[in-house]
Amino acid sequence: MASGFSDYLRRDLLLAYRRRGEAASPLVFFIMVSTLIPLGISPESARLAEIASGIIWVMALLATLLSTDGLFASDYQDGSLEQLLISPQMLAMPVLGKITAHWMVTGLPLTLASPLLGVMLSLPEEGYVPMVVSLALGTGCLSLIGAVGAALTVSLRKGGLLLSLLVMPLYMPVIIFGSATVQSAIDGFAWSGPLAILGAMLAAAIALCPLAAAGGLRLTSIN
Amino acid sequence: MPNTPLLTVERLLFERDDCNVFEQIDLEVGRGEIVQIEGPNGSGKTTLMRLFTTALQPTSGNIRYAGQAIDLCRYEYLSDILYVGHQPGVKMTLTAEENLRWMAADCSNSAQDALAAVGLAGYADIPCYNLSAGQHRRVALARLLMTNAKLWYLDEPFTAIDKQGVSFLESCMRDHIRRGGAVVLSTHQDLTIDGVRKCIIVPHGDQGGF
Amino acid sequence: MNWLTNWSPSWQWFHRLGSPRWFYQTTGRWLPWLSLLALALLSTGLVWGLGFAPQDAKQGNSFRIIYLHVPASFLALAGYYIMAIAGAIGLIWKMKLSYMVMKSAAPIGAALTFLALFTGAIWGKPTWGTYWVWDARVTSMLILLFLYLGVLALQYAFHSNEAGNRASAILALVGTVNIPIIYKSVDWWYTLHQPATIKLTSAPSMHSDMFQPLLVMILGFYCFYTVALFLFTRAEILRRERKSTWVKELVIGAQH
């Protein structure tokens, strides 16, 4: 049984590729919901510019949250999670592989599509580079934190809603520093500070979240 | 130590929510042996399999592999076992061959040959969502031809497979014990292999019943 | 982890501490004294704080709600750590009692967090002219309430007690790592966005006549928290151990 980091990274990418339509839905959600904002608030570009960075970050968060639910669900249902749990290697590594694949399928496309939304929401010019960089780091954090919630709720029948309740409070620092990075740049301040903190949070999450998620996955054999 | 049994289970108990699932279990499985776990529905056969595969931790009692507690030789033990559970662990979007190669990555045998042996010769390139439940199980059972594991744990391996499948599975087990391996399986079906030892598990608080 | 518990005789006390029966009997002896102490401290503090402490120069009498608000916020945060530590002990040493403590700490902590938010809102109306302000401390408290609710919801979502306990212990631990980060980041976020209308960040330096009753109230709340935690845990013990002989004897004894 293959059970290293790269094995699971490759497998999950292949699985996502085979179901491209499904894998693309967070991105579609991200773009579609963001277009509701001008309809709901105002099409005036000055007003949109003011809130654009926050909106894009909140939408990225929600899009990631929606897709986190499925991170371990299909493995749990078809029994391959059971096999993973009894593989001799350390469980955190394949889990990290799966999370990385999840980020590459959701967080990375969101990051790359964000300039498009920036244009649509008339984000000021100075905001683009910080937005892309902060989203790249921040969505990584979101995938990692979300994985802990997904692991804890995978064996529950209605885990999806509970999952969002669990991880939402944990997401808050990420969104604070993420949107602050963009806002600082727009306001003409140095934006390396909040970005550095975002990077530090990502580093801590890489170290801790796979362990917590692995602990959560072990509960599936009890329930 | 050729005489040490491959698997030794001593005074094994498992509590679920402060209640024992089954009465204490003692069991030895030597090389070249097949042990059939029997018990009524809900007696904890799957729980026992999960205890054997370390997915669950026993409340008390010991499980030893070749004389050593499995906590102390976890890597070695888990590398030497193979477990086929209720769910086949087959990914629907992968083809039969991809699934098999994934499940048995450390084996040099050809996945094509293994699939042919379980009667899925023409199906190697077909995504598994086009296959039936029985065929999924066959894909999972093809792993038995592609493994170096010494100890097999098969949880209800005969569900959803036909007569041919059953005889294929039995021949696999025969070959395996001839090579010095051992099999622990749970099933209600009687095997046609000679020398199968039975281990009856008694659900906790059960005074005989039927 | 077996070596930890089998290691030496000095761990015996730890094992005894893990026995629900021992806990039930010991806390049973402490409870009357602790309840008396809590009652005495709380009533002294309340009468002193509400009746005799001097008025605040700027806020008048409305400041007096801090005698409930501040102790509740203290215990709300401390309670999260108590819950998380109990959960960690349960995960590491597989101690049932400590899961019971964790399970009991969650609703108490959530209630105290809610009390802190509620009294804060009441205080906010005369002070800031509105019930709700996105102030750093208020926001952190709200997030703390969400964290508590998550642990509570997860606890009861599982069929198996064991799985529920372990899941909420893991979540509580993850939350523990996050709480300092959340507090710091909310603090920082607030300084960045501070609205011009609210300038109450520098807390008015407190006169010692106001501070002493507050101290009494905080001590009283700690005692009250301990009493509540004991009572919840004892109820949980009886529920979980209802099949054991000592609980049966206890119940029969109580009926006579």
Side-chain angles (χ1 to χ4, degrees), chain C residues 106-124:
Chain C
I108 307 175
L112 283 169
T113 315
F114 181 76
L115 182 69
L117 278 171
F118 189 71
T119 50
I122 295 175
W123 190 13

PDB file of all heavy atoms in Angstrom, chain C residues 106-124:
ATOM      1  N   ALA C 106     -17.549  22.497  29.478  1.00  0.00           N
ATOM      2  CA  ALA C 106     -17.984  23.176  28.252  1.00  0.00           C
ATOM      3  C   ALA C 106     -19.253  24.018  28.447  1.00  0.00           C
ATOM      4  O   ALA C 106     -19.246  25.210  28.124  1.00  0.00           O
ATOM      5  CB  ALA C 106     -18.143  22.166  27.123  1.00  0.00           C
ATOM      6  N   PRO C 107     -20.357  23.441  28.970  1.00  0.00           N
ATOM      7  CA  PRO C 107     -21.550  24.292  29.110  1.00  0.00           C
ATOM      8  C   PRO C 107     -21.364  25.430  30.112  1.00  0.00           C
ATOM      9  O   PRO C 107     -21.896  26.531  29.889  1.00  0.00           O
ATOM     10  CB  PRO C 107     -22.640  23.320  29.575  1.00  0.00           C
ATOM     11  CG  PRO C 107     -21.948  22.117  30.035  1.00  0.00           C
ATOM     12  CD  PRO C 107     -20.637  22.047  29.329  1.00  0.00           C
ATOM     13  N   ILE C 108     -20.604  25.184  31.198  1.00  0.00           N
ATOM     14  CA  ILE C 108     -20.390  26.251  32.188  1.00  0.00           C
ATOM     15  C   ILE C 108     -19.636  27.395  31.533  1.00  0.00           C
ATOM     16  O   ILE C 108     -19.996  28.567  31.672  1.00  0.00           O
ATOM     17  CB  ILE C 108     -19.595  25.728  33.400  1.00  0.00           C
ATOM     18  CG1 ILE C 108     -20.261  24.482  33.968  1.00  0.00           C
ATOM     19  CG2 ILE C 108     -19.486  26.793  34.467  1.00  0.00           C
ATOM     20  CD1 ILE C 108     -19.484  23.837  35.092  1.00  0.00           C
ATOM     21  N   GLY C 109     -18.571  27.028  30.813  1.00  0.00           N
ATOM     22  CA  GLY C 109     -17.769  28.059  30.157  1.00  0.00           C
ATOM     23  C   GLY C 109     -18.580  28.837  29.140  1.00  0.00           C
ATOM     24  O   GLY C 109     -18.493  30.065  29.058  1.00  0.00           O
ATOM     25  N   ALA C 110     -19.400  28.114  28.369  1.00  0.00           N
ATOM     26  CA  ALA C 110     -20.207  28.787  27.356  1.00  0.00           C
ATOM     27  C   ALA C 110     -21.179  29.751  28.027  1.00  0.00           C
ATOM     28  O   ALA C 110     -21.370  30.880  27.567  1.00  0.00           O
ATOM     29  CB  ALA C 110     -20.959  27.753  26.518  1.00  0.00           C
ATOM     30  N   ALA C 111     -21.774  29.324  29.143  1.00  0.00           N
ATOM     31  CA  ALA C 111     -22.725  30.188  29.847  1.00  0.00           C
ATOM     32  C   ALA C 111     -22.026  31.440  30.374  1.00  0.00           C
ATOM     33  O   ALA C 111     -22.559  32.552  30.267  1.00  0.00           O
ATOM     34  CB  ALA C 111     -23.375  29.415  30.994  1.00  0.00           C
ATOM     35  N   LEU C 112     -20.820  31.264  30.927  1.00  0.00           N
ATOM     36  CA  LEU C 112     -20.098  32.428  31.450  1.00  0.00           C
ATOM     37  C   LEU C 112     -19.699  33.378  30.326  1.00  0.00           C
ATOM     38  O   LEU C 112     -19.749  34.602  30.482  1.00  0.00           O
ATOM     39  CB  LEU C 112     -18.850  31.966  32.211  1.00  0.00           C
ATOM     40  CG  LEU C 112     -19.117  31.406  33.604  1.00  0.00           C
ATOM     41  CD1 LEU C 112     -17.866  30.747  34.157  1.00  0.00           C
ATOM     42  CD2 LEU C 112     -19.580  32.513  34.534  1.00  0.00           C
ATOM     43  N   THR C 113     -19.300  32.819  29.184  1.00  0.00           N
ATOM     44  CA  THR C 113     -18.953  33.664  28.047  1.00  0.00           C
ATOM     45  C   THR C 113     -20.162  34.470  27.605  1.00  0.00           C
ATOM     46  O   THR C 113     -20.069  35.665  27.319  1.00  0.00           O
ATOM     47  CB  THR C 113     -18.458  32.807  26.869  1.00  0.00           C
ATOM     48  OG1 THR C 113     -17.546  31.840  27.367  1.00  0.00           O
ATOM     49  CG2 THR C 113     -17.771  33.646  25.833  1.00  0.00           C
ATOM     50  N   PHE C 114     -21.308  33.789  27.580  1.00  0.00           N
ATOM     51  CA  PHE C 114     -22.527  34.489  27.199  1.00  0.00           C
ATOM     52  C   PHE C 114     -22.837  35.590  28.204  1.00  0.00           C
ATOM     53  O   PHE C 114     -23.190  36.711  27.826  1.00  0.00           O
ATOM     54  CB  PHE C 114     -23.691  33.503  27.106  1.00  0.00           C
ATOM     55  CG  PHE C 114     -24.977  34.153  26.688  1.00  0.00           C
ATOM     56  CD1 PHE C 114     -25.178  34.512  25.368  1.00  0.00           C
ATOM     57  CD2 PHE C 114     -25.953  34.444  27.619  1.00  0.00           C
ATOM     58  CE1 PHE C 114     -26.337  35.142  24.985  1.00  0.00           C
ATOM     59  CE2 PHE C 114     -27.127  35.074  27.238  1.00  0.00           C
ATOM     60  CZ  PHE C 114     -27.320  35.426  25.924  1.00  0.00           C
ATOM     61  N   LEU C 115     -22.666  35.281  29.495  1.00  0.00           N
ATOM     62  CA  LEU C 115     -22.919  36.281  30.541  1.00  0.00           C
ATOM     63  C   LEU C 115     -22.004  37.489  30.343  1.00  0.00           C
ATOM     64  O   LEU C 115     -22.447  38.644  30.445  1.00  0.00           O
ATOM     65  CB  LEU C 115     -22.686  35.650  31.916  1.00  0.00           C
ATOM     66  CG  LEU C 115     -22.945  36.561  33.113  1.00  0.00           C
ATOM     67  CD1 LEU C 115     -24.424  36.857  33.234  1.00  0.00           C
ATOM     68  CD2 LEU C 115     -22.435  35.920  34.403  1.00  0.00           C
ATOM     69  N   ALA C 116     -20.738  37.210  30.041  1.00  0.00           N
ATOM     70  CA  ALA C 116     -19.788  38.306  29.838  1.00  0.00           C
ATOM     71  C   ALA C 116     -20.217  39.177  28.661  1.00  0.00           C
ATOM     72  O   ALA C 116     -20.195  40.405  28.737  1.00  0.00           O
ATOM     73  CB  ALA C 116     -18.391  37.742  29.607  1.00  0.00           C
ATOM     74  N   LEU C 117     -20.645  38.531  27.575  1.00  0.00           N
ATOM     75  CA  LEU C 117     -21.084  39.290  26.397  1.00  0.00           C
ATOM     76  C   LEU C 117     -22.344  40.092  26.705  1.00  0.00           C
ATOM     77  O   LEU C 117     -22.473  41.259  26.322  1.00  0.00           O
ATOM     78  CB  LEU C 117     -21.357  38.333  25.235  1.00  0.00           C
ATOM     79  CG  LEU C 117     -20.148  37.885  24.433  1.00  0.00           C
ATOM     80  CD1 LEU C 117     -20.541  36.774  23.474  1.00  0.00           C
ATOM     81  CD2 LEU C 117     -19.574  39.052  23.651  1.00  0.00           C
ATOM     82  N   PHE C 118     -23.252  39.454  27.420  1.00  0.00           N
ATOM     83  CA  PHE C 118     -24.535  40.072  27.717  1.00  0.00           C
ATOM     84  C   PHE C 118     -24.350  41.289  28.630  1.00  0.00           C
ATOM     85  O   PHE C 118     -24.866  42.375  28.348  1.00  0.00           O
ATOM     86  CB  PHE C 118     -25.430  39.025  28.389  1.00  0.00           C
ATOM     87  CG  PHE C 118     -26.846  39.452  28.549  1.00  0.00           C
ATOM     88  CD1 PHE C 118     -27.681  39.557  27.447  1.00  0.00           C
ATOM     89  CD2 PHE C 118     -27.357  39.749  29.802  1.00  0.00           C
ATOM     90  CE1 PHE C 118     -28.990  39.959  27.592  1.00  0.00           C
ATOM     91  CE2 PHE C 118     -28.667  40.147  29.957  1.00  0.00           C
ATOM     92  CZ  PHE C 118     -29.490  40.252  28.852  1.00  0.00           C
ATOM     93  N   THR C 119     -23.586  41.121  29.704  1.00  0.00           N
ATOM     94  CA  THR C 119     -23.359  42.255  30.602  1.00  0.00           C
ATOM     95  C   THR C 119     -22.584  43.346  29.876  1.00  0.00           C
ATOM     96  O   THR C 119     -22.803  44.532  30.113  1.00  0.00           O
ATOM     97  CB  THR C 119     -22.595  41.824  31.855  1.00  0.00           C
ATOM     98  OG1 THR C 119     -21.448  41.075  31.455  1.00  0.00           O
ATOM     99  CG2 THR C 119     -23.448  40.982  32.775  1.00  0.00           C
ATOM    100  N   GLY C 120     -21.684  42.926  28.979  1.00  0.00           N
ATOM    101  CA  GLY C 120     -20.929  43.910  28.205  1.00  0.00           C
ATOM    102  C   GLY C 120     -21.853  44.752  27.332  1.00  0.00           C
ATOM    103  O   GLY C 120     -21.695  45.974  27.218  1.00  0.00           O
ATOM    104  N   ALA C 121     -22.862  44.081  26.738  1.00  0.00           N
ATOM    105  CA  ALA C 121     -23.804  44.806  25.882  1.00  0.00           C
ATOM    106  C   ALA C 121     -24.625  45.791  26.706  1.00  0.00           C
ATOM    107  O   ALA C 121     -24.852  46.935  26.293  1.00  0.00           O
ATOM    108  CB  ALA C 121     -24.709  43.812  25.162  1.00  0.00           C
ATOM    109  N   ILE C 122     -25.060  45.339  27.891  1.00  0.00           N
ATOM    110  CA  ILE C 122     -25.849  46.233  28.759  1.00  0.00           C
ATOM    111  C   ILE C 122     -25.011  47.445  29.161  1.00  0.00           C
ATOM    112  O   ILE C 122     -25.487  48.576  29.191  1.00  0.00           O
ATOM    113  CB  ILE C 122     -26.316  45.472  30.013  1.00  0.00           C
ATOM    114  CG1 ILE C 122     -27.276  44.358  29.621  1.00  0.00           C
ATOM    115  CG2 ILE C 122     -26.980  46.421  31.005  1.00  0.00           C
ATOM    116  CD1 ILE C 122     -27.690  43.495  30.772  1.00  0.00           C
ATOM    117  N   TRP C 123     -23.750  47.183  29.441  1.00  0.00           N
ATOM    118  CA  TRP C 123     -22.832  48.246  29.826  1.00  0.00           C
ATOM    119  C   TRP C 123     -22.586  49.203  28.660  1.00  0.00           C
ATOM    120  O   TRP C 123     -22.443  50.405  28.817  1.00  0.00           O
ATOM    121  CB  TRP C 123     -21.520  47.601  30.282  1.00  0.00           C
ATOM    122  CG  TRP C 123     -20.553  48.518  30.937  1.00  0.00           C
ATOM    123  CD1 TRP C 123     -20.787  49.787  31.391  1.00  0.00           C
ATOM    124  CD2 TRP C 123     -19.192  48.230  31.220  1.00  0.00           C
ATOM    125  NE1 TRP C 123     -19.654  50.303  31.952  1.00  0.00           N
ATOM    126  CE2 TRP C 123     -18.655  49.358  31.856  1.00  0.00           C
ATOM    127  CE3 TRP C 123     -18.369  47.118  30.998  1.00  0.00           C
ATOM    128  CZ2 TRP C 123     -17.330  49.426  32.269  1.00  0.00           C
ATOM    129  CZ3 TRP C 123     -17.057  47.171  31.418  1.00  0.00           C
ATOM    130  CH2 TRP C 123     -16.539  48.325  32.047  1.00  0.00           C
ATOM    131  N   GLY C 124     -22.572  48.600  27.454  1.00  0.00           N
ATOM    132  CA  GLY C 124     -22.250  49.389  26.268  1.00  0.00           C
ATOM    133  C   GLY C 124     -23.284  50.462  25.974  1.00  0.00           C
ATOM    134  O   GLY C 124     -22.962  51.546  25.497  1.00  0.00           O
TER     135      GLY C 124
END
